[in-house]
Amino acid sequence: MTDFPRDAILVVLETSASGVLEDAAPGLLGAAAAAGTPVALVLAAPGAGGSAATEAAALGAAQVLIAESADPAALGVPGVDALAAAAERVRPDAILISHSLNGRDLAGRYAVRSRSAVSADAIDVARDEEGVVAHHSVYGGAYNVASTATFGAPVITVRQGSIDARAAAQPEVSETLTVVPSGKPAARIDSFEEVVGSSSRPELRGAAKVVAGGRGLGSQEQFELVGQLADALGAAVGASRAAVDAGYIPQSHQVGQTGVSVSPQLYIALGISGAIQHRAGMQTAKTIVAVNKDGDAPIFEVADFGVVGDVFKVVPQLISALEARKK
Amino acid sequence: MKIIVLVKEVPDTYGDRKLNLETGLADRAASDVVLDEIGERALELALKYADANDGADVAVLTLAPEGATATIRKGLAMGADRAVHVCDEALLGADLGLTAEALAAAIRRQGFDLVVTGNVSTDGSGGMIPAMLAELLDVPHATGLSSVEIGDGVVSGTRPVESGVQQVSADLPAVISVTEALPEGRFPNFKGIMAAKKKPFEVLTLADLGVAADNPEMARSIMLTVAEKPPRASGVKILDEGDAGDKLADFLVANRLA
């Protein structure tokens, strides 16, 4: 039996169906390293545990427990069973999970089962004399809140893309975790279709750079300008609710209170007025750039660099200037 | 078919939302409150099923302070058959765990085939209550559904996740949560508003539910500090004089963003 570090932070990492670790993995391990010694639990697709463990060690996991689901069609429950077994073995000071849909389900079920306290949607994790503390940005970034558990290891979900810290690579120390299934009823995953990105653009959630367009783009065809700038910067494409409602782009690209919340290094808002609901989903971005015809648009209140001008003039010039620099 | 829909009173995101800096709790007096839109979509799903199927019973369930009655009544006006309001002083500032416990106890007391919730509320954005309820009620969860089919003894739907799209199904009883992709809630009409006044409206305390807010065996999440973030200072704003694209490129390069 391996011994686990006394200041272990258990980090749960999911793999995709094709076996690679989720995008949130580097940030989760980075956050864990700042608060203790990262120990990873890899919830892997069958056959993918070994490679995922190697990946986790390279991202900073000092030790890796591998759990390949015996019943991959069961939704959620096998992951909870694995986490319960892992926490029992590792006895961590905190458990970190991505604030993704699956991560939230896992955190919620596990917290109930283990009678643990849960801190949701953290943007940073730290340790003080008392234990591990989660930091949150609430009400669309208007308030900073710190939370912790009354006792025991808190279960903390971490907002995707919010952690910049990265952990140093560790030599791989991994073992397969023995999991006794709880037999709890679970929904079935009847089929799965992997999204084959129609372009090489990064996923909006967790992207380091986001270029977003609003109703100011005027039409679905003209919205492609957003994509062109995104490609020039290697950014993901986002949109305001107005642009989604106008049918310029699918809802999965919506940034805001009711869409995706993003905390990228760079957020460029094109033709977006910046209603409160939109700002709520993006104002924790490190740098915000806005281009809008209307100099009174509220987006300028949060912009680090604002251009009052026509997106159809400014953006093409920006793209060619960026391309000229690359040469 | 007994369907319980979770609804929630939240500060309207169209206005300013405030936290009380002394207690860390939502300052309910500071902003208008509304029925959370995602809960209205969840209710619409249940009502559509009830429209098409005889013998469906739709209840709205909420956990909220005393003043929330009017907001919950909107759910009845939209067409729900009954409302259940879990209301107790001891729930002020309840964390996710205690909230889930109280809701699960109320759901168990009603009996259910299907619990429908929104995926994430606009104020808390924890998005964990559905899975917590499923664990407490010992039933399957199917969360984040962008389309839902309620069948005979089974619920199925489309579940977009990070890497793709799942088709999932669960035997009833089950807990599901739905996304914004579902249709908006219907507007209550005059007849509905009048009828709402006569519909059963049950108020339950923690004692009624047999839940202890201060159970020493349960770890709770507590707030350590709360601070208002200084408003983000606005930066440079320039008027395009034909070279704004180039200036913007300079800014991005100077900040190592391009």
Side-chain angles (χ1 to χ4, degrees):
Chain A
M1 282 284 188
T2 337
D3 278 336
F4 290 93
R6 293 191 58 165
D7 65 345
I9 307 291
L10 184 58
V11 178
V12 185
L13 304 173
E14 229 193 356
T15 73
S16 69
S18 53
V20 291
L21 284 184
E22 59 185 316
D23 294 343
L28 286 169
L29 288 163
T37 306
V39 174
L41 165 64
V42 170
L43 302 177
S51 59
T54 307
E55 224 185 316
L59 292 170
Q63 279 164 281
V64 184
L65 294 168
I66 302 167
E68 291 181 9
S69 177
D71 183 7
L75 179 64
V77 171
V80 184
D81 297 346
L83 175 52
E88 191 68 28
R89 288 224 32 216
V90 177
R91 301 262 164 205
D93 287 344
I95 296 170
L96 301 191
I97 305 173
S98 170
H99 194 69
S100 62
L101 177 59
N102 285 335
R104 299 195 308 257
D105 288 349
L106 175 62
R109 271 195 181 256
Y110 172 74
V112 163
R113 197 181 290 184
S114 62
R115 306 185 146 208
S116 305
V118 52
S119 286
D121 198 23
I123 55 161
D124 200 7
V125 178
R127 181 190 285 268
D128 66 13
E129 323 68 81
E130 307 265 307
V132 176
V133 176
H135 292 271
H136 313 260
S137 172
V138 308
Y139 277 178
Y143 294 87
N144 290 326
V145 170
S147 75
T148 193
T150 47
F151 61 87
V155 178
I156 301 169
T157 58
V158 179
R159 185 182 295 180
Q160 291 137 296
S162 64
I163 307 279
D164 297 331
R166 294 293 179 262
Q170 301 292 322
E172 183 180 338
V173 182
S174 61
E175 65 177 277
T176 302
L177 179 71
T178 312
V179 180
V180 183
S182 62
K184 291 243 179 201
R188 312 294 305 170
I189 303 167
D190 300 321
S191 65
F192 176 72
E193 200 181 319
E194 195 143 15
V195 169
V196 242
S198 51
S199 71
S200 51
R201 280 174 202 156
E203 178 87 20
L204 177 57
R205 222 179 271 273
K209 296 176 192 171
V210 175
V211 180
R215 187 138 49 192
L217 272 299
S219 73
Q220 194 180 349
E221 292 71 37
Q222 296 183 149
F223 199 87
E224 196 35 43
L225 185 62
V226 176
Q228 287 165 12
L229 178 57
D231 290 344
L233 289 164
V237 171
S240 69
R241 182 167 183 170
V244 170
D245 287 349
Y248 301 167
I249 187 157
Q251 204 263 337
S252 57
H253 292 272
Q254 186 173 318
V255 172
Q257 184 78 63
T258 50
V260 175
S261 280
V262 296
S263 309
Q265 295 295 320
L266 173 65
Y267 189 89
I268 301 186
L270 303 177
I272 292 178
S273 66
I276 273 188
Q277 295 94 318
H278 185 76
R279 300 209 311 262
M282 47 67 75
Q283 63 187 2
T284 54
K286 302 281 181 311
T287 300
I288 297 173
V289 170
V291 182
N292 202 305
K293 268 194 306 210
D294 175 8
D296 295 327
I299 191 75
F300 288 120
E301 291 165 20
V302 296
D304 298 289
F305 193 97
V307 177
V308 182
D310 183 352
V311 289
F312 299 106
K313 294 207 177 98
V314 177
V315 176
Q317 189 182 53
L318 170 60
I319 293 172
S320 45
L322 291 172
E323 275 166 4
R325 281 161 202 271
K326 274 183 197 155
K327 283 173 191 155
Chain B
M1 170 81 90
K2 291 185 84 165
I3 305 178
I4 298 181
V5 180
L6 260 59
V7 293
K8 187 175 183 187
E9 185 183 77
V10 297
D12 195 342
T13 54
Y14 279 87
D16 265 350
R17 298 176 296 170
K18 299 263 182 237
L19 285 184
N20 181 316
L21 293 176
E22 272 169 30
T23 61
L25 302 178
D27 186 347
R28 286 179 183 258
S31 36
D32 291 338
V33 290
V34 293
L35 199 56
D36 203 352
E37 185 190 311
I38 195 70
E40 291 186 12
R41 289 177 198 256
L43 178 55
E44 181 61 33
L45 172 73
L47 294 176
K48 249 195 208 114
Y49 178 84
D51 289 344
N53 295 274
D54 287 339
D57 175 81
V58 178
V60 286
L61 167 63
T62 199
L63 186 153
E66 219 169 324
T69 312
T71 314
I72 303 158
R73 219 170 263 287
K74 184 180 177 192
L76 293 177
M78 286 171 69
D81 298 298
R82 295 174 298 114
V84 181
H85 180 183
V86 179
C87 180
D88 197 306
E89 289 276 309
L91 286 169
L92 197 67
D95 71 346
L96 287 166
L98 178 57
T99 303
E101 251 181 89
L103 287 170
I107 291 166
R108 227 180 271 122
R109 183 184 157 108
Q110 306 292 315
F112 71 102
D113 296 298
L114 181 63
V115 175
V116 188
T117 82
N119 58 342
V120 185
S121 69
T122 55
D123 60 342
S125 72
M128 288 185 200
I129 293 291
M132 290 177 133
L133 291 177
E135 183 76 20
L136 286 163
L137 297 167
D138 212 6
V139 298
H141 70 261
T143 44
L145 302 182
S146 61
S147 74
V148 181
E149 200 71 49
I150 304 171
D152 198 12
V154 63
V155 60
S156 57
T158 306
R159 185 172 184 266
V161 291
E162 311 281 288
S163 56
V165 178
Q166 299 171 339
Q167 297 299 326
V168 299
S169 59
D171 291 335
L172 300 182
V175 176
I176 63 169
S177 75
V178 300
T179 72
E180 268 219 327
L182 261 74
E184 275 177 37
R186 59 191 66 183
F187 284 106
N189 56 25
F190 182 69
K191 202 173 131 207
I193 293 166
M194 293 313 287
K197 295 180 177 163
K198 300 196 186 91
K199 288 178 177 172
F201 195 113
E202 194 178 7
V203 180
L204 297 170
T205 64
L206 287 182
D208 296 331
L209 296 170
V211 172
D214 52 359
N215 182 348
E217 284 170 26
M218 308 290 246
R220 299 290 181 206
S221 174
I222 49 167
M223 224 183 260
L224 295 173
T225 58
V226 54
E228 191 161 13
K229 208 178 280 183
R232 204 185 168 104
S234 55
V236 188
K237 183 159 91 173
I238 60 166
L239 191 66
D240 182 20
E241 287 166 336
D243 60 353
D246 291 327
K247 283 184 177 161
L248 186 45
D250 291 341
F251 172 82
L252 294 178
V253 170
N255 287 283
R256 299 172 182 274
L257 292 166

